[in-house]
Amino acid sequence: MTETEGGLDKVAEVLNWRDSKLFSASERVALEYAERITHTDQQVDDALFAEVKRHFTEAQIVELTAAIAMENFRSKFNPPLGIAAQGFCMVPARK
């Protein structure tokens, strides 16, 4: 399977990434990292960061962190200003 194959299947499974067989170990680590950054009641501890460093280079970690932070910024910035989703990445409803 190429990197782009299964992309829509992964989008459909993103809410269930922990249980889905579609995500690689690196993708699972990135999703865990994103969740820990996003949820205010969680933190990125040394163990998780060590796991992130096993899968990604320093430059990739900076880029990943910036992308996560930007999406978190948008999620807080857009709603009060009435900026609606543009429909580019629709996450399917949970089953």
Side-chain angles (χ1 to χ4, degrees):
M1 181 179 288
T2 67
E3 202 171 309
T4 57
E5 288 178 11
L8 292 179
D9 292 336
K10 284 183 179 180
V11 170
E13 286 288 307
V14 76
L15 295 176
N16 302 309
W17 66 266
R18 284 183 177 84
D19 300 320
S20 176
K21 305 270 189 252
L22 296 178
F23 297 93
S24 69
S26 294
E27 290 169 331
R28 290 176 191 281
V29 169
L31 288 164
E32 177 71 22
Y33 185 59
E35 280 192 1
R36 296 263 195 104
I37 290 171
T38 301
H39 294 280
T40 56
D41 63 336
Q42 298 180 21
Q43 61 181 333
V44 176
D45 58 19
D46 291 342
L48 177 58
F49 198 73
E51 189 67 16
V52 170
K53 286 176 25 177
R54 282 182 10 122
H55 290 270
F56 301 100
T57 66
E58 187 174 302
Q60 289 171 322
I61 293 169
V62 170
E63 186 174 349
L64 180 59
T65 305
I68 295 165
M70 180 57 74
E71 291 308 316
N72 279 296
F73 169 79
R74 288 179 192 163
S75 77
K76 299 296 183 190
F77 185 87
N78 291 350
L81 299 176
I83 300 170
Q86 302 299 306
F88 295 118
C89 183
M90 300 303 293
V91 176
R94 289 185 187 217
K95 294 178 184 178

